[in-house]
PDB file of all heavy atoms in Angstrom:
ATOM      1  N   TYR A   1      18.026  -0.384  -8.275  1.00 80.00           N
ATOM      2  CA  TYR A   1      18.373  -1.459  -7.357  1.00 80.00           C
ATOM      3  C   TYR A   1      18.833  -0.909  -6.005  1.00 80.00           C
ATOM      4  O   TYR A   1      18.416  -1.383  -4.950  1.00 80.00           O
ATOM      5  CB  TYR A   1      19.457  -2.353  -7.960  1.00 80.00           C
ATOM      6  CG  TYR A   1      19.799  -3.521  -7.086  1.00 80.00           C
ATOM      7  CD1 TYR A   1      19.027  -4.673  -7.101  1.00 80.00           C
ATOM      8  CD2 TYR A   1      20.872  -3.468  -6.204  1.00 80.00           C
ATOM      9  CE1 TYR A   1      19.318  -5.741  -6.282  1.00 80.00           C
ATOM     10  CE2 TYR A   1      21.172  -4.532  -5.379  1.00 80.00           C
ATOM     11  CZ  TYR A   1      20.394  -5.663  -5.429  1.00 80.00           C
ATOM     12  OH  TYR A   1      20.681  -6.714  -4.601  1.00 80.00           O
ATOM     13  N   VAL A   2      19.693   0.105  -6.046  1.00 80.00           N
ATOM     14  CA  VAL A   2      20.190   0.696  -4.803  1.00 80.00           C
ATOM     15  C   VAL A   2      19.038   1.315  -4.017  1.00 80.00           C
ATOM     16  O   VAL A   2      18.959   1.190  -2.793  1.00 80.00           O
ATOM     17  CB  VAL A   2      21.294   1.744  -5.099  1.00 80.00           C
ATOM     18  CG1 VAL A   2      21.632   2.554  -3.864  1.00 80.00           C
ATOM     19  CG2 VAL A   2      22.532   1.060  -5.636  1.00 80.00           C
ATOM     20  N   HIS A   3      18.131   1.976  -4.712  1.00 81.00           N
ATOM     21  CA  HIS A   3      16.972   2.575  -4.046  1.00 81.00           C
ATOM     22  C   HIS A   3      16.115   1.500  -3.393  1.00 81.00           C
ATOM     23  O   HIS A   3      15.688   1.639  -2.246  1.00 81.00           O
ATOM     24  CB  HIS A   3      16.155   3.369  -5.067  1.00 81.00           C
ATOM     25  CG  HIS A   3      15.022   4.115  -4.476  1.00 81.00           C
ATOM     26  ND1 HIS A   3      15.191   5.272  -3.755  1.00 81.00           N
ATOM     27  CD2 HIS A   3      13.693   3.861  -4.470  1.00 81.00           C
ATOM     28  CE1 HIS A   3      14.014   5.706  -3.344  1.00 81.00           C
ATOM     29  NE2 HIS A   3      13.097   4.862  -3.763  1.00 81.00           N
ATOM     30  N   ALA A   4      15.892   0.414  -4.113  1.00 78.00           N
ATOM     31  CA  ALA A   4      15.044  -0.660  -3.589  1.00 78.00           C
ATOM     32  C   ALA A   4      15.723  -1.423  -2.454  1.00 78.00           C
ATOM     33  O   ALA A   4      15.036  -2.005  -1.612  1.00 78.00           O
ATOM     34  CB  ALA A   4      14.682  -1.629  -4.710  1.00 78.00           C
ATOM     35  N   MET A   5      17.053  -1.401  -2.415  1.00 76.00           N
ATOM     36  CA  MET A   5      17.773  -2.103  -1.350  1.00 76.00           C
ATOM     37  C   MET A   5      17.314  -1.653   0.029  1.00 76.00           C
ATOM     38  O   MET A   5      17.178  -2.447   0.946  1.00 76.00           O
ATOM     39  CB  MET A   5      19.269  -1.802  -1.469  1.00 76.00           C
ATOM     40  CG  MET A   5      20.099  -2.970  -1.874  1.00 76.00           C
ATOM     41  SD  MET A   5      21.823  -2.584  -2.219  1.00 76.00           S
ATOM     42  CE  MET A   5      22.332  -1.478  -0.970  1.00 76.00           C
ATOM     43  N   HIS A   6      17.074  -0.356   0.179  1.00 73.00           N
ATOM     44  CA  HIS A   6      16.730   0.184   1.487  1.00 73.00           C
ATOM     45  C   HIS A   6      15.269   0.590   1.608  1.00 73.00           C
ATOM     46  O   HIS A   6      14.823   0.905   2.697  1.00 73.00           O
ATOM     47  CB  HIS A   6      17.619   1.404   1.793  1.00 73.00           C
ATOM     48  CG  HIS A   6      19.059   1.051   1.864  1.00 73.00           C
ATOM     49  ND1 HIS A   6      19.981   1.559   0.990  1.00 73.00           N
ATOM     50  CD2 HIS A   6      19.736   0.222   2.684  1.00 73.00           C
ATOM     51  CE1 HIS A   6      21.171   1.063   1.274  1.00 73.00           C
ATOM     52  NE2 HIS A   6      21.048   0.251   2.308  1.00 73.00           N
ATOM     53  N   ARG A   7      14.533   0.618   0.510  1.00 81.00           N
ATOM     54  CA  ARG A   7      13.165   1.131   0.566  1.00 81.00           C
ATOM     55  C   ARG A   7      12.127   0.221  -0.081  1.00 81.00           C
ATOM     56  O   ARG A   7      11.075   0.686  -0.469  1.00 81.00           O
ATOM     57  CB  ARG A   7      13.112   2.497  -0.107  1.00 81.00           C
ATOM     58  CG  ARG A   7      13.937   3.524   0.592  1.00 81.00           C
ATOM     59  CD  ARG A   7      13.777   4.852  -0.085  1.00 81.00           C
ATOM     60  NE  ARG A   7      14.576   5.844   0.572  1.00 81.00           N
ATOM     61  CZ  ARG A   7      14.103   6.729   1.436  1.00 81.00           C
ATOM     62  NH1 ARG A   7      12.834   6.743   1.726  1.00 81.00           N
ATOM     63  NH2 ARG A   7      14.898   7.602   1.991  1.00 81.00           N
ATOM     64  N   MET A   8      12.415  -1.051  -0.212  1.00 81.00           N
ATOM     65  CA  MET A   8      11.482  -1.941  -0.899  1.00 81.00           C
ATOM     66  C   MET A   8      10.129  -1.996  -0.181  1.00 81.00           C
ATOM     67  O   MET A   8       9.085  -1.959  -0.811  1.00 81.00           O
ATOM     68  CB  MET A   8      12.070  -3.343  -1.026  1.00 81.00           C
ATOM     69  CG  MET A   8      11.188  -4.279  -1.830  1.00 81.00           C
ATOM     70  SD  MET A   8      10.834  -3.675  -3.483  1.00 81.00           S
ATOM     71  CE  MET A   8      12.274  -4.192  -4.328  1.00 81.00           C
ATOM     72  N   TRP A   9      10.157  -2.061   1.140  1.00 83.00           N
ATOM     73  CA  TRP A   9       8.896  -2.122   1.878  1.00 83.00           C
ATOM     74  C   TRP A   9       8.082  -0.857   1.632  1.00 83.00           C
ATOM     75  O   TRP A   9       6.876  -0.919   1.386  1.00 83.00           O
ATOM     76  CB  TRP A   9       9.169  -2.287   3.378  1.00 83.00           C
ATOM     77  CG  TRP A   9       7.922  -2.417   4.162  1.00 83.00           C
ATOM     78  CD1 TRP A   9       7.239  -3.572   4.399  1.00 83.00           C
ATOM     79  CD2 TRP A   9       7.190  -1.359   4.776  1.00 83.00           C
ATOM     80  NE1 TRP A   9       6.121  -3.277   5.148  1.00 83.00           N
ATOM     81  CE2 TRP A   9       6.066  -1.933   5.381  1.00 83.00           C
ATOM     82  CE3 TRP A   9       7.354   0.010   4.875  1.00 83.00           C
ATOM     83  CZ2 TRP A   9       5.127  -1.191   6.078  1.00 83.00           C
ATOM     84  CZ3 TRP A   9       6.431   0.750   5.563  1.00 83.00           C
ATOM     85  CH2 TRP A   9       5.329   0.142   6.158  1.00 83.00           C
ATOM     86  N   GLN A  10       8.741   0.298   1.679  1.00 87.00           N
ATOM     87  CA  GLN A  10       8.047   1.567   1.461  1.00 87.00           C
ATOM     88  C   GLN A  10       7.483   1.649   0.042  1.00 87.00           C
ATOM     89  O   GLN A  10       6.361   2.099  -0.157  1.00 87.00           O
ATOM     90  CB  GLN A  10       8.994   2.731   1.708  1.00 87.00           C
ATOM     91  CG  GLN A  10       8.357   4.080   1.465  1.00 87.00           C
ATOM     92  CD  GLN A  10       9.353   5.217   1.516  1.00 87.00           C
ATOM     93  OE1 GLN A  10      10.553   4.999   1.590  1.00 87.00           O
ATOM     94  NE2 GLN A  10       8.857   6.430   1.462  1.00 87.00           N
ATOM     95  N   MET A  11       8.258   1.208  -0.933  1.00 85.00           N
ATOM     96  CA  MET A  11       7.799   1.257  -2.324  1.00 85.00           C
ATOM     97  C   MET A  11       6.572   0.356  -2.509  1.00 85.00           C
ATOM     98  O   MET A  11       5.592   0.737  -3.157  1.00 85.00           O
ATOM     99  CB  MET A  11       8.930   0.843  -3.264  1.00 85.00           C
ATOM    100  CG  MET A  11      10.069   1.851  -3.299  1.00 85.00           C
ATOM    101  SD  MET A  11      11.598   1.255  -4.054  1.00 85.00           S
ATOM    102  CE  MET A  11      11.060   0.695  -5.641  1.00 85.00           C
ATOM    103  N   ASP A  12       6.611  -0.844  -1.941  1.00 88.00           N
ATOM    104  CA  ASP A  12       5.488  -1.765  -2.051  1.00 88.00           C
ATOM    105  C   ASP A  12       4.258  -1.217  -1.339  1.00 88.00           C
ATOM    106  O   ASP A  12       3.150  -1.248  -1.867  1.00 88.00           O
ATOM    107  CB  ASP A  12       5.876  -3.126  -1.467  1.00 88.00           C
ATOM    108  CG  ASP A  12       4.750  -4.126  -1.546  1.00 88.00           C
ATOM    109  OD1 ASP A  12       4.217  -4.322  -2.657  1.00 88.00           O
ATOM    110  OD2 ASP A  12       4.389  -4.708  -0.500  1.00 88.00           O
ATOM    111  N   PHE A  13       4.459  -0.686  -0.138  1.00 90.00           N
ATOM    112  CA  PHE A  13       3.347  -0.156   0.652  1.00 90.00           C
ATOM    113  C   PHE A  13       2.708   1.042  -0.048  1.00 90.00           C
ATOM    114  O   PHE A  13       1.480   1.168  -0.093  1.00 90.00           O
ATOM    115  CB  PHE A  13       3.840   0.234   2.051  1.00 90.00           C
ATOM    116  CG  PHE A  13       2.745   0.363   3.058  1.00 90.00           C
ATOM    117  CD1 PHE A  13       2.231  -0.748   3.691  1.00 90.00           C
ATOM    118  CD2 PHE A  13       2.231   1.606   3.383  1.00 90.00           C
ATOM    119  CE1 PHE A  13       1.225  -0.636   4.628  1.00 90.00           C
ATOM    120  CE2 PHE A  13       1.221   1.733   4.316  1.00 90.00           C
ATOM    121  CZ  PHE A  13       0.714   0.610   4.939  1.00 90.00           C
ATOM    122  N   SER A  14       3.514   1.944  -0.634  1.00 90.00           N
ATOM    123  CA  SER A  14       2.995   3.119  -1.332  1.00 90.00           C
ATOM    124  C   SER A  14       2.174   2.714  -2.550  1.00 90.00           C
ATOM    125  O   SER A  14       1.126   3.301  -2.833  1.00 90.00           O
ATOM    126  CB  SER A  14       4.136   4.037  -1.759  1.00 90.00           C
ATOM    127  OG  SER A  14       4.822   4.520  -0.648  1.00 90.00           O
ATOM    128  N   THR A  15       2.648   1.719  -3.284  1.00 90.00           N
ATOM    129  CA  THR A  15       1.911   1.236  -4.449  1.00 90.00           C
ATOM    130  C   THR A  15       0.574   0.649  -4.030  1.00 90.00           C
ATOM    131  O   THR A  15      -0.468   0.935  -4.641  1.00 90.00           O
ATOM    132  CB  THR A  15       2.737   0.173  -5.197  1.00 90.00           C
ATOM    133  OG1 THR A  15       3.995   0.733  -5.546  1.00 90.00           O
ATOM    134  CG2 THR A  15       2.024  -0.305  -6.432  1.00 90.00           C
ATOM    135  N   ARG A  16       0.597  -0.167  -2.990  1.00 91.00           N
ATOM    136  CA  ARG A  16      -0.659  -0.756  -2.507  1.00 91.00           C
ATOM    137  C   ARG A  16      -1.617   0.317  -1.985  1.00 91.00           C
ATOM    138  O   ARG A  16      -2.823   0.224  -2.184  1.00 91.00           O
ATOM    139  CB  ARG A  16      -0.377  -1.772  -1.407  1.00 91.00           C
ATOM    140  CG  ARG A  16       0.261  -3.043  -1.903  1.00 91.00           C
ATOM    141  CD  ARG A  16       0.556  -3.968  -0.728  1.00 91.00           C
ATOM    142  NE  ARG A  16       1.385  -5.072  -1.102  1.00 91.00           N
ATOM    143  CZ  ARG A  16       0.936  -6.307  -1.306  1.00 91.00           C
ATOM    144  NH1 ARG A  16      -0.342  -6.573  -1.175  1.00 91.00           N
ATOM    145  NH2 ARG A  16       1.769  -7.264  -1.630  1.00 91.00           N
ATOM    146  N   ALA A  17      -1.082   1.344  -1.328  1.00 92.00           N
ATOM    147  CA  ALA A  17      -1.933   2.417  -0.807  1.00 92.00           C
ATOM    148  C   ALA A  17      -2.606   3.169  -1.946  1.00 92.00           C
ATOM    149  O   ALA A  17      -3.792   3.483  -1.874  1.00 92.00           O
ATOM    150  CB  ALA A  17      -1.116   3.378   0.047  1.00 92.00           C
ATOM    151  N   ALA A  18      -1.890   3.461  -3.008  1.00 91.00           N
ATOM    152  CA  ALA A  18      -2.469   4.182  -4.139  1.00 91.00           C
ATOM    153  C   ALA A  18      -3.536   3.362  -4.843  1.00 91.00           C
ATOM    154  O   ALA A  18      -4.534   3.906  -5.330  1.00 91.00           O
ATOM    155  CB  ALA A  18      -1.373   4.571  -5.121  1.00 91.00           C
ATOM    156  N   GLU A  19      -3.348   2.055  -4.897  1.00 91.00           N
ATOM    157  CA  GLU A  19      -4.306   1.177  -5.567  1.00 91.00           C
ATOM    158  C   GLU A  19      -5.478   0.783  -4.675  1.00 91.00           C
ATOM    159  O   GLU A  19      -6.441   0.198  -5.149  1.00 91.00           O
ATOM    160  CB  GLU A  19      -3.608  -0.096  -6.049  1.00 91.00           C
ATOM    161  CG  GLU A  19      -2.617   0.131  -7.157  1.00 91.00           C
ATOM    162  CD  GLU A  19      -1.922  -1.145  -7.582  1.00 91.00           C
ATOM    163  OE1 GLU A  19      -2.120  -2.200  -6.930  1.00 91.00           O
ATOM    164  OE2 GLU A  19      -1.183  -1.099  -8.568  1.00 91.00           O
ATOM    165  N   GLY A  20      -5.395   1.050  -3.380  1.00 92.00           N
ATOM    166  CA  GLY A  20      -6.457   0.641  -2.460  1.00 92.00           C
ATOM    167  C   GLY A  20      -6.349  -0.821  -2.083  1.00 92.00           C
ATOM    168  O   GLY A  20      -7.345  -1.531  -2.044  1.00 92.00           O
ATOM    169  N   ARG A  21      -5.128  -1.282  -1.808  1.00 92.00           N
ATOM    170  CA  ARG A  21      -4.894  -2.688  -1.477  1.00 92.00           C
ATOM    171  C   ARG A  21      -4.176  -2.863  -0.140  1.00 92.00           C
ATOM    172  O   ARG A  21      -3.537  -3.878   0.092  1.00 92.00           O
ATOM    173  CB  ARG A  21      -4.072  -3.338  -2.595  1.00 92.00           C
ATOM    174  CG  ARG A  21      -4.777  -3.376  -3.917  1.00 92.00           C
ATOM    175  CD  ARG A  21      -3.907  -3.912  -5.054  1.00 92.00           C
ATOM    176  NE  ARG A  21      -3.149  -5.074  -4.651  1.00 92.00           N
ATOM    177  CZ  ARG A  21      -1.899  -5.304  -5.054  1.00 92.00           C
ATOM    178  NH1 ARG A  21      -1.283  -4.461  -5.833  1.00 92.00           N
ATOM    179  NH2 ARG A  21      -1.269  -6.384  -4.662  1.00 92.00           N
ATOM    180  N   ILE A  22      -4.284  -1.905   0.760  1.00 92.00           N
ATOM    181  CA  ILE A  22      -3.608  -1.982   2.061  1.00 92.00           C
ATOM    182  C   ILE A  22      -4.202  -3.089   2.936  1.00 92.00           C
ATOM    183  O   ILE A  22      -3.501  -3.719   3.711  1.00 92.00           O
ATOM    184  CB  ILE A  22      -3.680  -0.618   2.791  1.00 92.00           C
ATOM    185  CG1 ILE A  22      -2.853   0.407   2.035  1.00 92.00           C
ATOM    186  CG2 ILE A  22      -3.200  -0.714   4.220  1.00 92.00           C
ATOM    187  CD1 ILE A  22      -1.376   0.150   2.030  1.00 92.00           C
ATOM    188  N   SER A  23      -5.481  -3.348   2.789  1.00 91.00           N
ATOM    189  CA  SER A  23      -6.111  -4.374   3.625  1.00 91.00           C
ATOM    190  C   SER A  23      -5.549  -5.771   3.349  1.00 91.00           C
ATOM    191  O   SER A  23      -5.713  -6.663   4.167  1.00 91.00           O
ATOM    192  CB  SER A  23      -7.625  -4.361   3.437  1.00 91.00           C
ATOM    193  OG  SER A  23      -7.956  -4.598   2.093  1.00 91.00           O
ATOM    194  N   GLU A  24      -4.871  -5.969   2.218  1.00 90.00           N
ATOM    195  CA  GLU A  24      -4.221  -7.250   1.964  1.00 90.00           C
ATOM    196  C   GLU A  24      -3.117  -7.505   2.978  1.00 90.00           C
ATOM    197  O   GLU A  24      -2.803  -8.648   3.293  1.00 90.00           O
ATOM    198  CB  GLU A  24      -3.615  -7.271   0.556  1.00 90.00           C
ATOM    199  CG  GLU A  24      -4.632  -7.227  -0.548  1.00 90.00           C
ATOM    200  CD  GLU A  24      -3.987  -7.119  -1.922  1.00 90.00           C
ATOM    201  OE1 GLU A  24      -2.746  -7.171  -2.019  1.00 90.00           O
ATOM    202  OE2 GLU A  24      -4.732  -6.990  -2.901  1.00 90.00           O
ATOM    203  N   ILE A  25      -2.519  -6.446   3.481  1.00 87.00           N
ATOM    204  CA  ILE A  25      -1.427  -6.567   4.445  1.00 87.00           C
ATOM    205  C   ILE A  25      -1.944  -6.422   5.871  1.00 87.00           C
ATOM    206  O   ILE A  25      -1.659  -7.246   6.736  1.00 87.00           O
ATOM    207  CB  ILE A  25      -0.354  -5.482   4.195  1.00 87.00           C
ATOM    208  CG1 ILE A  25       0.227  -5.624   2.803  1.00 87.00           C
ATOM    209  CG2 ILE A  25       0.749  -5.558   5.234  1.00 87.00           C
ATOM    210  CD1 ILE A  25       1.100  -4.473   2.394  1.00 87.00           C
ATOM    211  N   ILE A  26      -2.698  -5.358   6.117  1.00 86.00           N
ATOM    212  CA  ILE A  26      -3.104  -5.003   7.476  1.00 86.00           C
ATOM    213  C   ILE A  26      -4.334  -5.773   7.929  1.00 86.00           C
ATOM    214  O   ILE A  26      -4.454  -6.147   9.079  1.00 86.00           O
ATOM    215  CB  ILE A  26      -3.335  -3.481   7.572  1.00 86.00           C
ATOM    216  CG1 ILE A  26      -2.015  -2.770   7.317  1.00 86.00           C
ATOM    217  CG2 ILE A  26      -3.911  -3.092   8.911  1.00 86.00           C
ATOM    218  CD1 ILE A  26      -2.113  -1.281   7.298  1.00 86.00           C
ATOM    219  N   GLY A  27      -5.265  -5.983   7.039  1.00 86.00           N
ATOM    220  CA  GLY A  27      -6.488  -6.681   7.398  1.00 86.00           C
ATOM    221  C   GLY A  27      -7.700  -5.768   7.320  1.00 86.00           C
ATOM    222  O   GLY A  27      -7.693  -4.736   6.651  1.00 86.00           O
ATOM    223  N   GLU A  28      -8.745  -6.147   8.037  1.00 89.00           N
ATOM    224  CA  GLU A  28     -10.026  -5.450   7.949  1.00 89.00           C
ATOM    225  C   GLU A  28      -9.973  -4.008   8.439  1.00 89.00           C
ATOM    226  O   GLU A  28     -10.834  -3.211   8.085  1.00 89.00           O
ATOM    227  CB  GLU A  28     -11.088  -6.217   8.740  1.00 89.00           C
ATOM    228  CG  GLU A  28     -11.458  -7.536   8.104  1.00 89.00           C
ATOM    229  CD  GLU A  28     -12.585  -8.225   8.842  1.00 89.00           C
ATOM    230  OE1 GLU A  28     -13.346  -7.531   9.557  1.00 89.00           O
ATOM    231  OE2 GLU A  28     -12.700  -9.452   8.706  1.00 89.00           O
ATOM    232  N   LYS A  29      -8.981  -3.650   9.223  1.00 89.00           N
ATOM    233  CA  LYS A  29      -8.881  -2.278   9.734  1.00 89.00           C
ATOM    234  C   LYS A  29      -8.731  -1.262   8.606  1.00 89.00           C
ATOM    235  O   LYS A  29      -9.081  -0.105   8.771  1.00 89.00           O
ATOM    236  CB  LYS A  29      -7.691  -2.145  10.682  1.00 89.00           C
ATOM    237  CG  LYS A  29      -7.836  -2.915  11.959  1.00 89.00           C
ATOM    238  CD  LYS A  29      -6.607  -2.734  12.829  1.00 89.00           C
ATOM    239  CE  LYS A  29      -6.724  -3.535  14.097  1.00 89.00           C
ATOM    240  NZ  LYS A  29      -5.559  -3.388  14.957  1.00 89.00           N
ATOM    241  N   ALA A  30      -8.200  -1.689   7.470  1.00 90.00           N
ATOM    242  CA  ALA A  30      -7.912  -0.760   6.379  1.00 90.00           C
ATOM    243  C   ALA A  30      -8.955  -0.791   5.269  1.00 90.00           C
ATOM    244  O   ALA A  30      -8.754  -0.174   4.226  1.00 90.00           O
ATOM    245  CB  ALA A  30      -6.541  -1.065   5.801  1.00 90.00           C
ATOM    246  N   LEU A  31     -10.074  -1.459   5.473  1.00 93.00           N
ATOM    247  CA  LEU A  31     -11.076  -1.577   4.408  1.00 93.00           C
ATOM    248  C   LEU A  31     -11.656  -0.225   3.997  1.00 93.00           C
ATOM    249  O   LEU A  31     -11.810   0.047   2.796  1.00 93.00           O
ATOM    250  CB  LEU A  31     -12.199  -2.526   4.827  1.00 93.00           C
ATOM    251  CG  LEU A  31     -11.880  -4.010   4.678  1.00 93.00           C
ATOM    252  CD1 LEU A  31     -13.041  -4.858   5.195  1.00 93.00           C
ATOM    253  CD2 LEU A  31     -11.561  -4.368   3.251  1.00 93.00           C
ATOM    254  N   GLU A  32     -11.958   0.621   4.943  1.00 94.00           N
ATOM    255  CA  GLU A  32     -12.512   1.939   4.597  1.00 94.00           C
ATOM    256  C   GLU A  32     -11.499   2.775   3.825  1.00 94.00           C
ATOM    257  O   GLU A  32     -11.856   3.474   2.877  1.00 94.00           O
ATOM    258  CB  GLU A  32     -12.970   2.683   5.864  1.00 94.00           C
ATOM    259  CG  GLU A  32     -14.222   2.109   6.483  1.00 94.00           C
ATOM    260  CD  GLU A  32     -15.398   2.075   5.497  1.00 94.00           C
ATOM    261  OE1 GLU A  32     -15.616   3.064   4.780  1.00 94.00           O
ATOM    262  OE2 GLU A  32     -16.087   1.045   5.459  1.00 94.00           O
ATOM    263  N   PHE A  33     -10.239   2.701   4.219  1.00 93.00           N
ATOM    264  CA  PHE A  33      -9.178   3.408   3.498  1.00 93.00           C
ATOM    265  C   PHE A  33      -9.105   2.900   2.053  1.00 93.00           C
ATOM    266  O   PHE A  33      -9.025   3.686   1.104  1.00 93.00           O
ATOM    267  CB  PHE A  33      -7.839   3.194   4.209  1.00 93.00           C
ATOM    268  CG  PHE A  33      -6.669   3.803   3.502  1.00 93.00           C
ATOM    269  CD1 PHE A  33      -6.368   5.137   3.657  1.00 93.00           C
ATOM    270  CD2 PHE A  33      -5.872   3.032   2.669  1.00 93.00           C
ATOM    271  CE1 PHE A  33      -5.294   5.708   3.000  1.00 93.00           C
ATOM    272  CE2 PHE A  33      -4.796   3.583   2.012  1.00 93.00           C
ATOM    273  CZ  PHE A  33      -4.506   4.924   2.174  1.00 93.00           C
ATOM    274  N   ASP A  34      -9.141   1.572   1.888  1.00 93.00           N
ATOM    275  CA  ASP A  34      -9.082   0.985   0.551  1.00 93.00           C
ATOM    276  C   ASP A  34     -10.284   1.395  -0.301  1.00 93.00           C
ATOM    277  O   ASP A  34     -10.135   1.704  -1.493  1.00 93.00           O
ATOM    278  CB  ASP A  34      -9.015  -0.538   0.639  1.00 93.00           C
ATOM    279  CG  ASP A  34      -7.643  -1.037   1.066  1.00 93.00           C
ATOM    280  OD1 ASP A  34      -6.705  -0.221   1.098  1.00 93.00           O
ATOM    281  OD2 ASP A  34      -7.517  -2.240   1.355  1.00 93.00           O
ATOM    282  N   LYS A  35     -11.462   1.401   0.294  1.00 94.00           N
ATOM    283  CA  LYS A  35     -12.652   1.802  -0.450  1.00 94.00           C
ATOM    284  C   LYS A  35     -12.537   3.244  -0.944  1.00 94.00           C
ATOM    285  O   LYS A  35     -12.884   3.549  -2.090  1.00 94.00           O
ATOM    286  CB  LYS A  35     -13.906   1.651   0.425  1.00 94.00           C
ATOM    287  CG  LYS A  35     -14.299   0.214   0.669  1.00 94.00           C
ATOM    288  CD  LYS A  35     -15.503   0.149   1.596  1.00 94.00           C
ATOM    289  CE  LYS A  35     -15.854  -1.267   1.953  1.00 94.00           C
ATOM    290  NZ  LYS A  35     -16.979  -1.338   2.904  1.00 94.00           N
ATOM    291  N   THR A  36     -12.037   4.116  -0.090  1.00 93.00           N
ATOM    292  CA  THR A  36     -11.853   5.520  -0.480  1.00 93.00           C
ATOM    293  C   THR A  36     -10.859   5.646  -1.625  1.00 93.00           C
ATOM    294  O   THR A  36     -11.101   6.366  -2.596  1.00 93.00           O
ATOM    295  CB  THR A  36     -11.365   6.342   0.728  1.00 93.00           C
ATOM    296  OG1 THR A  36     -12.299   6.199   1.794  1.00 93.00           O
ATOM    297  CG2 THR A  36     -11.203   7.797   0.374  1.00 93.00           C
ATOM    298  N   LYS A  37      -9.745   4.952  -1.530  1.00 92.00           N
ATOM    299  CA  LYS A  37      -8.731   5.015  -2.582  1.00 92.00           C
ATOM    300  C   LYS A  37      -9.250   4.439  -3.897  1.00 92.00           C
ATOM    301  O   LYS A  37      -8.961   4.963  -4.973  1.00 92.00           O
ATOM    302  CB  LYS A  37      -7.467   4.257  -2.159  1.00 92.00           C
ATOM    303  CG  LYS A  37      -6.687   4.964  -1.103  1.00 92.00           C
ATOM    304  CD  LYS A  37      -6.109   6.257  -1.656  1.00 92.00           C
ATOM    305  CE  LYS A  37      -5.240   6.930  -0.636  1.00 92.00           C
ATOM    306  NZ  LYS A  37      -4.559   8.089  -1.151  1.00 92.00           N
ATOM    307  N   ARG A  38     -10.000   3.353  -3.824  1.00 92.00           N
ATOM    308  CA  ARG A  38     -10.532   2.756  -5.054  1.00 92.00           C
ATOM    309  C   ARG A  38     -11.584   3.654  -5.702  1.00 92.00           C
ATOM    310  O   ARG A  38     -11.700   3.695  -6.918  1.00 92.00           O
ATOM    311  CB  ARG A  38     -11.090   1.370  -4.768  1.00 92.00           C
ATOM    312  CG  ARG A  38      -9.986   0.378  -4.497  1.00 92.00           C
ATOM    313  CD  ARG A  38     -10.493  -1.014  -4.343  1.00 92.00           C
ATOM    314  NE  ARG A  38      -9.385  -1.899  -4.017  1.00 92.00           N
ATOM    315  CZ  ARG A  38      -9.428  -3.194  -4.181  1.00 92.00           C
ATOM    316  NH1 ARG A  38     -10.505  -3.773  -4.647  1.00 92.00           N
ATOM    317  NH2 ARG A  38      -8.381  -3.926  -3.865  1.00 92.00           N
ATOM    318  N   ARG A  39     -12.355   4.380  -4.875  1.00 93.00           N
ATOM    319  CA  ARG A  39     -13.327   5.328  -5.444  1.00 93.00           C
ATOM    320  C   ARG A  39     -12.630   6.438  -6.220  1.00 93.00           C
ATOM    321  O   ARG A  39     -13.149   6.945  -7.201  1.00 93.00           O
ATOM    322  CB  ARG A  39     -14.184   5.936  -4.334  1.00 93.00           C
ATOM    323  CG  ARG A  39     -15.322   5.060  -3.913  1.00 93.00           C
ATOM    324  CD  ARG A  39     -16.247   5.786  -2.932  1.00 93.00           C
ATOM    325  NE  ARG A  39     -16.770   4.818  -2.010  1.00 93.00           N
ATOM    326  CZ  ARG A  39     -16.502   4.761  -0.708  1.00 93.00           C
ATOM    327  NH1 ARG A  39     -15.731   5.662  -0.155  1.00 93.00           N
ATOM    328  NH2 ARG A  39     -17.013   3.835   0.040  1.00 93.00           N
ATOM    329  N   LYS A  40     -11.450   6.835  -5.761  1.00 92.00           N
ATOM    330  CA  LYS A  40     -10.700   7.885  -6.454  1.00 92.00           C
ATOM    331  C   LYS A  40     -10.149   7.402  -7.791  1.00 92.00           C
ATOM    332  O   LYS A  40      -9.897   8.216  -8.674  1.00 92.00           O
ATOM    333  CB  LYS A  40      -9.550   8.380  -5.571  1.00 92.00           C
ATOM    334  CG  LYS A  40     -10.032   9.151  -4.370  1.00 92.00           C
ATOM    335  CD  LYS A  40      -8.884   9.635  -3.523  1.00 92.00           C
ATOM    336  CE  LYS A  40      -9.404  10.381  -2.310  1.00 92.00           C
ATOM    337  NZ  LYS A  40      -8.317  10.851  -1.446  1.00 92.00           N
ATOM    338  N   GLY A  41      -9.938   6.105  -7.949  1.00 90.00           N
ATOM    339  CA  GLY A  41      -9.534   5.535  -9.224  1.00 90.00           C
ATOM    340  C   GLY A  41      -8.118   5.863  -9.662  1.00 90.00           C
ATOM    341  O   GLY A  41      -7.864   6.052 -10.851  1.00 90.00           O
TER     342      GLY A  41
END
């Protein structure tokens, strides 16, 4: 809880980046990044 108090945005963003879901937040600019991450599985 204490960790999430100050880093919730970072934790959420890191999870989305690993899964290839950054374009849900940023938009079409991140589609190529998401495709690369999803290919890595």
Side-chain angles (χ1 to χ4, degrees):
Y1 183 82
V2 169
H3 185 75
M5 248 173 42
H6 297 117
R7 296 183 181 260
M8 185 57 83
W9 183 86
Q10 178 188 8
M11 292 166 55
D12 180 53
F13 199 82
S14 297
T15 304
R16 288 178 191 257
E19 292 179 354
R21 296 175 43 218
I22 293 293
S23 59
E24 293 175 5
I25 300 170
I26 296 176
E28 291 184 22
K29 293 180 182 180
L31 280 177
E32 288 303 316
F33 176 83
D34 285 350
K35 288 177 185 177
T36 303
K37 288 293 184 174
R38 288 186 183 200
R39 278 187 213 113
K40 291 180 181 179

